[in-house]
Amino acid sequence: MNIQSVQIEIVDLPTIRPHQLSMHTITMQTIVVAQVRDKEGLVGWSEVATIGGASYGESTPEAIKANAEVYIVPHLIGKDPKQFNRIMHDVSKFVSGNTFAKALIEGALIDLAAKQRQLPAYDLLGGKIHDALPIAWTLASGDTGRDIEEAKELLHQKRHNIFKLKIGVGDAMKNVEHVLKIKEAVGDQARLTVDVNQAWDERTAYYAIEALQEGGVSMIEQPLPKWDFEGMQRLTERFHVSIMADEGANDAHEIFQIAKHRAGSSIALKICKAGGLLATKEVASIARAAGIELYGGTMIESSLGSAIGLHVYATLPDLQFGTELFGPLLFQDTLTTNDIEYRDFQVHIPEGIGFGMTIDEEKLNHYKR
Ligand code: MUC
Ligand code: MG
């Protein structure tokens, strides 16, 4: 049952349309896939994603793969995957930071441990509280008319009634105009949030958030640069609309500082930012104790990575903003033979053992670098 080998691949998956963020437009999303194999040949699978090479964050796919292979994998060989907590604790003594690489490896250990026990992964994480979660979609085509069409179609299909709008490119008041046009088109049928991805300075944020709050937007994600905790604190105090920290809210230490200084009224959870599934639960507990609201965030993973997110988020008592694990719906193709179910404005937690997803190895071979 002990670990015999680990394999890590970099995979590029094309999207169905350009996905525009303030710092990068995604047309091809890069994900890193790990497989951890035990002596009986059972495989635990895991995935993390990054956005735009080194433009969104410091962890690049190439660095995740190299650092995992050289510095983390040697601590796994011969170990019992069911001891994933101890293994990752040992890894943390030798590897600082590298939260994406740690999340990748811990995910595969948990998938394998769950498969060995014939259990769904959420049962190794305390058990699920939710069978399904409210699911947001991101409107980010870069074109107001196309975003409105997309929103109306998804409302009609009953797939999403929460829309996150990616803004921060170009003039802030033009961004506001774009958001308010979409708000006018969807009316009360949908909740709108925005993600500025760090693009504004504090003065810009004052007048733009004022107008967005007035226009009925319900959350403003990472308006200021990730290092500007004091600016985030002033925005949180000034506005009643929720100010969410994302790029500035990573591990438990940062969440503690955000909680202590009220540098955000909500945070976006992401397994890759926290450094793993157990670390995500730790981060969520700190936020919950401080009255900070939670969002089940995504780095736009494919179905495997999204299933991993769902298995953790399903164990958390409150996710006031639901989740945005929509990644699989943005890709032209999938790496799994089964799909995650999106219906009635909710995403359903995948059942089955491990994370409940079956890898299509032909597809993996086709899309890997
Ligand atoms: C981010 O900044 O939240 C999540 C959804 C989306 O469209 O982009 C990602 C990254
Ligand atoms: Mg964000």
Side-chain angles (χ1 to χ4, degrees):
M1 300 292 237
N2 289 0
I3 296 162
Q4 186 159 48
S5 63
V6 179
Q7 201 176 325
I8 300 173
E9 317 279 3
I10 297 179
V11 178
D12 297 299
L13 276 180
T15 61
I16 52 172
R17 59 148 167 77
H19 195 74
Q20 189 184 73
L21 282 74
S22 70
M23 77 293 279
H24 176 76
T25 299
I26 308 170
T27 52
M28 186 72 88
Q29 173 70 327
T30 303
I31 64 175
V32 186
V33 175
Q35 40 181 313
V36 175
R37 191 175 293 268
D38 72 11
K39 292 204 165 116
E40 281 67 39
L42 204 56
V43 181
W45 292 90
S46 175
E47 172 199 339
V48 292
T50 58
I51 293 174
S55 64
Y56 185 96
E58 288 167 12
S59 272
T60 63
E62 297 78 11
I64 293 166
K65 175 172 155 63
N67 288 347
E69 284 173 346
V70 177
Y71 300 105
I72 302 181
V73 169
H75 298 285
L76 270 52
I77 305 302
K79 303 271 172 66
D80 177 356
K82 290 193 284 303
Q83 297 202 339
F84 60 88
N85 196 14
R86 180 186 294 193
I87 296 173
M88 294 314 294
H89 175 68
D90 289 345
V91 164
S92 75
K93 293 186 210 154
F94 299 98
V95 183
S96 78
N98 282 281
T99 58
F100 284 63
K102 286 174 181 165
L104 176 71
I105 295 301
E106 191 210 44
L109 291 176
I110 291 176
D111 192 42
L112 182 54
K115 283 173 174 163
Q116 289 182 349
R117 287 186 170 165
Q118 296 276 302
L119 290 172
Y122 53 67
D123 277 345
L124 300 183
L125 302 168
K128 71 177 161 155
I129 296 175
H130 313 283
D131 296 319
L133 291 166
I135 176 76
W137 173 255
T138 299
L139 297 170
S141 73
D143 178 87
T144 311
R146 190 168 170 188
D147 283 356
I148 290 174
E149 246 176 68
E150 207 171 281
K152 286 191 168 166
E153 176 55 28
L154 295 172
L155 278 166
H156 174 73
Q157 289 175 18
K158 292 198 167 182
R159 212 180 74 183
H160 306 274
N161 57 4
I162 310 167
F163 297 109
K164 168 160 131 176
L165 278 49
K166 286 293 202 186
I167 56 174
V169 176
D171 179 69
M173 280 327 269
K174 288 239 167 66
N175 290 177
V176 170
E177 233 173 77
H178 161 79
V179 176
L180 299 185
K181 275 189 193 149
I182 297 175
K183 179 75 187 145
E184 196 186 347
V186 298
D188 293 335
Q189 280 184 285
R191 187 147 65 79
L192 291 197
T193 68
V194 299
D195 192 351
V196 191
N197 282 120
Q198 315 180 58
W200 293 339
D201 57 29
E202 199 171 332
R203 267 164 50 78
T204 306
Y206 282 156
Y207 64 77
I209 296 175
E210 187 77 53
L212 292 170
Q213 179 174 275
E214 185 78 7
V217 168
S218 64
M219 180 269 279
I220 317 288
E221 189 171 327
Q222 199 68 55
L224 303 181
K226 62 183 174 191
W227 46 262
D228 194 358
F229 293 101
E230 288 179 16
M232 288 288 279
Q233 182 185 22
R234 286 186 285 270
L235 297 184
T236 305
E237 202 172 299
R238 185 177 179 122
F239 296 106
H240 59 75
V241 63
S242 186
I243 305 294
M244 181 176 287
D246 180 11
E247 291 93 314
N250 295 284
D251 62 9
H253 304 288
E254 277 180 1
I255 307 307
F256 176 70
Q257 291 305 322
I258 290 169
K260 189 172 171 188
H261 301 291
R262 309 305 298 175
S265 39
S266 52
I267 58 161
L269 297 169
K270 289 175 190 172
I271 294 166
C272 54
K273 292 193 301 179
L277 291 82
L278 295 177
T280 301
K281 286 177 68 85
E282 195 177 67
V283 159
S285 296
I286 297 169
R288 184 166 188 251
I292 288 179
E293 296 187 314
L294 294 173
Y295 187 36
T298 180
M299 204 60 100
I300 314 189
E301 297 86 3
S302 78
S303 54
L304 173 64
S306 302
I308 297 173
L310 290 172
H311 274 248
V312 185
Y313 299 159
T315 69
L316 302 177
D318 319 296
L319 279 170
Q320 291 85 353
F321 287 92
T323 176
E324 59 174 4
L325 283 167
F326 62 81
L329 302 166
L330 191 68
F331 295 120
Q332 289 179 22
D333 207 349
T334 170
L335 299 179
T336 51
T337 56
N338 57 333
D339 292 322
I340 295 174
E341 227 184 296
Y342 295 88
R343 66 179 149 81
D344 300 325
F345 305 121
Q346 294 208 306
V347 56
H348 294 258
I349 314 307
E351 297 296 341
I353 63 162
F355 295 116
M357 305 310 288
T358 307
I359 298 296
D360 185 332
E361 295 201 41
E362 249 175 60
K363 291 272 182 68
L364 180 66
N365 281 331
H366 177 74
Y367 289 108
K368 78 179 187 199
R369 280 189 193 167

